[in-house]
Amino acid sequence: MSIEQLAETARAMVAPGKGIIAIDESSATCKKRFDGVGIDCTEESRRAYRELLLTAPNANQYLSGAILFDETLRQSTKDGVPFAKYMLDNGMIPGIKVDKGTVPLAGFPGELVTEGLDGLRDRLKEYYKLGARFAKWRAVITIGDDIPSGTCIEANSHALARYAALCQEQGLVPMVEPEVLMDGDHDIGTCYEVTEVVLRSLFDALYNQSVMLEGTILKASMVVPGKGCAEQATVEEVAESTLMCLKSAVPAILPGIVFLSGGQSDEDATAHLDAMNRMGPNPWPLSFSYGRAMQQAALKLWAADMTGNYAKAQQTVFERAKANGLAALGQWGE
Ligand SMILES: O=P(O)(O)OC[C@H]1O[C@](O)(COP(=O)(O)O)[C@@H](O)[C@@H]1O
């Protein structure tokens, strides 16, 4: 796979006014979300829910792609069209979550490292055949007393870089996601410092593993105070801090940055993205790869009445996609 083809896919992922819907919850996370609204989590209920999200009428005007879970990439619409084919036919790029989740980092209480490198080359080969053109790996960094440690940051960066190099070898664009969690009572300054160190470490590791940045997308967390912090930040503060942090640590050659929502409200996730784009021009397109901030309204409606609310739930997916697509242009709420 040439770097030009990878770069083309990466640019298409962050095409103007478009972003990504993240529907790659592992079955355990999906169960947590379904339990929250009283839905039985079965292979078929997960399939039906993902169909609702992927086939929301006109949402593809604002969605360049979706991140799927392994199970979903192998599933089809109720009419028998494989989801990957449905997406490609509707102008959306199929992506796949390839990490195998987090485990405690031995010797470092309270810290996590992401697993999934063993056998990854062969899994990527298969995912490519199934239609995936980008792949996501999520590392989790927790802020707390004396953490994150340098060891945790380095271990996660090293794994991210190894996965990214394998993705490019197999023709998939890596979407590297080092998520700094919002859990905790730390202030926005602490989140800034940690995020900056994490990003510097990540780009250092990507460089060391010869990952081509032109064919890489960063999925970043925004710089925000911890959920338990008494002093919450304004939209402008979050946008300014996040932009400054990214500008100080992310090379300009990167084709784009997308954000995770991390537990922010739908409105906040959109407002923050919009504000950052209004503060541009920025070195890279800034867009979204939201999970909860794209889905939670639809999930609630669908849970309340699966048949009666089906169209309404799909309409909210369209509305969330449109709002975030406009925010990616800095034109939300005009
Ligand atoms: O815990 P899991 O199953 O890996 O899922 C974590 C989720 O976090 C994300 O990376 C970001 O989602 P949010 O926007 O809801 O924070 C999703 O892509 C993914 O589904």
Side-chain angles (χ1 to χ4, degrees):
M1 179 69 50
S2 74
I3 179 59
E4 231 344 281
Q5 279 165 298
L6 288 170
E8 199 183 310
T9 302
R11 284 193 298 268
M13 288 163 68
V14 289
K18 288 191 175 191
I20 286 162
I21 182 168
I23 61 166
D24 61 313
E25 301 82 9
S26 56
S27 298
T29 304
C30 195
K31 181 167 175 1
K32 219 190 322 172
R33 307 262 192 272
F34 278 16
D35 282 352
V37 290
I39 300 175
D40 243 8
C41 191
T42 63
E43 196 178 328
E44 173 50 24
S45 65
R46 292 191 292 270
R47 190 209 63 75
Y49 176 57
R50 264 71 184 250
E51 175 164 358
L52 180 155
L53 298 169
L54 287 173
T55 63
N58 300 318
N60 61 345
Q61 287 174 38
Y62 306 101
L63 296 177
S64 58
I67 319 172
L68 309 179
F69 185 56
D70 178 280
E71 174 187 87
T72 319
L73 185 61
R74 301 171 195 282
Q75 288 176 326
S76 302
T77 66
K78 60 181 177 326
D79 299 331
V81 183
F83 283 134
K85 176 168 167 35
Y86 180 90
M87 290 177 64
L88 289 167
D89 290 348
N90 285 278
M92 294 199 287
I93 308 167
I96 176 81
K97 175 222 271 311
V98 299
D99 66 72
K100 295 239 168 174
T102 56
V103 292
L105 180 64
F108 291 82
E111 300 200 275
L112 300 169
V113 67
T114 302
E115 292 195 325
L117 288 172
D118 287 359
L120 181 57
R121 177 178 276 128
D122 289 338
R123 286 199 287 134
L124 292 170
K125 281 189 180 135
E126 191 195 2
Y127 290 145
Y128 188 93
K129 280 197 202 129
L130 289 169
R133 290 296 175 269
F134 71 95
K136 196 202 78 167
W137 177 289
R138 173 172 172 259
V140 176
I141 303 293
T142 311
I143 300 181
D145 291 340
D146 297 326
I147 61 170
S149 64
T151 308
C152 174
I153 292 172
E154 266 171 44
N156 277 294
S157 294
H158 185 258
L160 274 162
R162 288 222 29 226
Y163 121 89
L166 282 163
C167 284
Q168 293 191 333
E169 179 194 89
Q170 297 304 323
L172 288 103
V173 170
M175 178 192 271
V176 292
E177 180 185 19
E179 174 172 3
V180 177
L181 292 180
M182 282 167 63
D183 300 341
D185 54 11
H186 53 272
D187 60 14
I188 191 168
T190 306
C191 181
Y192 184 107
E193 279 166 30
V194 169
T195 306
E196 187 176 28
V197 173
V198 165
L199 290 174
R200 283 179 194 263
S201 159
L202 171 62
F203 284 96
D204 197 34
L206 292 174
Y207 179 73
N208 282 331
Q209 302 278 340
S210 293
V211 174
M212 296 171 285
L213 295 187
E214 304 91 311
T216 303
I217 294 287
L218 171 66
K219 177 159 174 169
S221 43
M222 295 183 198
V223 175
V224 289
K227 273 188 265 181
C229 177
E231 214 176 310
Q232 286 301 311
T234 63
V235 169
E236 281 65 34
E237 279 163 352
V238 171
E240 272 168 18
S241 306
T242 305
L243 275 181
M244 207 194 294
C245 188
L246 292 172
K247 284 179 186 168
S248 82
V250 180
I253 198 168
L254 204 79
I257 300 174
V258 292
F259 292 99
L260 58 96
S261 54
Q264 294 182 30
S265 69
D266 293 1
E267 171 104 4
D268 280 354
T270 305
H272 291 149
L273 178 62
D274 186 60
M276 282 187 263
N277 280 307
R278 280 176 197 266
M279 289 170 186
N282 296 311
W284 339 256
L286 299 177
S287 189
F288 61 96
S289 171
Y290 296 154
R292 282 162 287 178
M294 276 296 302
Q295 297 180 38
Q296 51 208 2
L299 180 59
K300 262 193 212 145
L301 279 168
W302 188 61
D305 182 353
M306 287 191 180
T307 322
N309 280 348
Y310 196 85
K312 252 193 245 166
Q314 287 200 316
Q315 174 66 18
T316 66
V317 177
F318 167 77
E319 282 160 11
R320 294 303 301 135
K322 182 174 180 182
N324 291 319
L326 290 172
L329 298 170
Q331 293 170 7
W332 175 65
E334 276 182 358

